Structure formats: structure tokens, C-alpha cells
Amino acid sequence: MSVNVRIPTILRTYTGGAAEVSAEGATLGEVIADLEKNHAGISARILDDTGKLRRFVNVYVNDDDVRFADGLATEVSDGAGISIIPAVAGGC
């Protein structure tokens, strides 16, 4: 299934500057694997050393936070929108 993945500015070096790319997969994990196949190095910024989503990276499938769904096993439908959002910290 083809999905649209919105790429945050910090990860666009992996996508040649593209803010949105297409990827294939029936689950979020498959989509990330396809992203890695087509944009080498990007999955290391999304997944930790154990293959789980990094603590400070939020991923949404059609506006639903995958942490409250099935994580990497979250099913994605054809044409779904996936957003990768790195957490921002700081302040006074």
C-alpha cells in the first residue's frame, strides 16, 4: 500500500530535501523499512538500537499517535498520511 510520509526538516537530508515522500507497506514498520530502502540512514533517526521507535520521535498515522495504537505494528491504509515529528525540548 502506498502512503505519504511527511518528513521533518531535520530528516530532509536523507530525502534530498523533500518534505513529503511516498512509501510502501501495510504496517508502520514496513513503511519505515521501505523508507530506509529508498533513503538510506533515515531509519536510524526514527528507530533505536533495539528496533523500537525512539523515545523522542512521535509518529502519527492519519493524526493518530502510534504509541497509543500498535506502535510499529500499526496498520496503514492505502493513501494514509504519516507524520514523523521529533520532540522539541528546551526553555528557560
Side-chain angles (χ1 to χ4, degrees):
M1 297 187 194
S2 181
V3 298
N4 298 312
V5 183
R6 287 180 286 285
I7 306 295
T9 304
I10 196 159
L11 297 180
R12 291 182 190 165
T13 55
Y14 298 98
T15 62
E20 190 168 301
V21 297
S22 293
E24 300 287 327
T27 65
L28 178 60
E30 290 176 7
V31 168
I32 292 172
D34 190 60
L35 280 175
E36 178 63 24
K37 183 176 86 175
N38 295 305
H39 308 285
I42 196 166
S43 69
R45 300 296 180 199
I46 301 169
L47 305 175
D48 64 18
D49 293 338
T50 66
K52 295 180 181 176
L53 288 172
R54 288 189 176 276
R55 183 173 174 205
F56 297 109
V57 175
N58 300 307
V59 180
Y60 294 85
V61 174
N62 293 330
D63 300 323
D64 294 323
D65 189 337
V66 300
R67 292 187 194 278
F68 300 106
D70 294 323
L72 293 173
T74 301
E75 292 184 12
V76 296
S77 57
D78 195 38
I82 296 175
S83 298
I84 302 168
I85 303 172
V88 178
C92 299

